Amino acid sequence: GEGFSISVSESTLGREVREMIAEKFPGKAGTCLMVTHQGSRLLLNKTLSEQGVEGSLSCTRMLGNIYDAWCFLQGMEVPEQEFALEGVREVQGIRSLEQLQHLPISSVQSLTFHSNFDQSL
């Protein structure tokens, strides 16, 4: 595969590192980014130091997690909420604005609102 380097301090949050990697490693529609260190998923809300990250990280693009996307749209907690809909290309039956909060507009090809959607919002 391809490789690239970025320099970050040990106090950098996993979320910030993921965003940097996403800029350098853009994906195709329908995929999401997975960043790992020694086989463990990078935690977004902790610093690299807190996670014991030293040296290199691995990243790959994979099909989006449909289960997490479904749970998120139902208002349930998911591990990486801000990325729960990454890779989703079509959404139907949107009932509330909360369901759209983190929708990655650049990858969505179709969006259908539920008949009960409050259009005054």
Side-chain angles (χ1 to χ4, degrees):
E2 299 177 30
F4 58 87
S5 295
I6 56 174
S7 295
V8 296
S9 74
E10 62 185 20
S11 63
T12 305
L13 285 174
R15 175 177 291 100
E16 296 168 306
V17 173
R18 188 190 187 286
E19 289 169 1
M20 289 180 222
I21 292 171
E23 285 179 22
K24 291 196 175 261
F25 189 42
K28 296 177 183 174
T31 65
C32 62
L33 180 65
M34 164 97 66
V35 182
T36 59
H37 178 255
Q38 296 179 344
S40 296
R41 203 169 188 164
L42 190 67
L43 301 175
L44 302 178
N45 60 346
K46 294 195 176 199
T47 66
L48 297 180
S49 176
E50 290 173 322
Q51 298 181 64
V53 174
E54 295 179 6
S56 64
L57 296 167
S58 298
C59 58
T60 188
R61 286 278 178 185
M62 52 192 281
L63 293 177
N65 185 328
I66 300 302
Y67 180 73
D68 278 358
W70 181 85
C71 288
F72 177 80
L73 289 172
Q74 301 306 311
M76 298 177 198
E77 290 290 319
V78 295
E80 296 180 350
Q81 282 201 255
E82 64 264 44
F83 302 110
L85 298 178
E86 184 180 26
V88 172
R89 298 180 354 171
E90 183 175 338
V91 178
Q92 295 182 7
I94 295 297
R95 295 175 189 254
S96 69
L97 287 178
E98 289 78 30
Q99 293 176 320
L100 297 175
Q101 187 174 7
H102 300 293
L103 192 62
I105 298 301
S106 61
S107 66
V108 174
Q109 295 177 350
S110 175
L111 180 63
T112 305
F113 293 93
H114 191 274
S115 59
N116 293 339
F117 185 79
D118 183 357
Q119 294 182 17
S120 68
L121 299 174

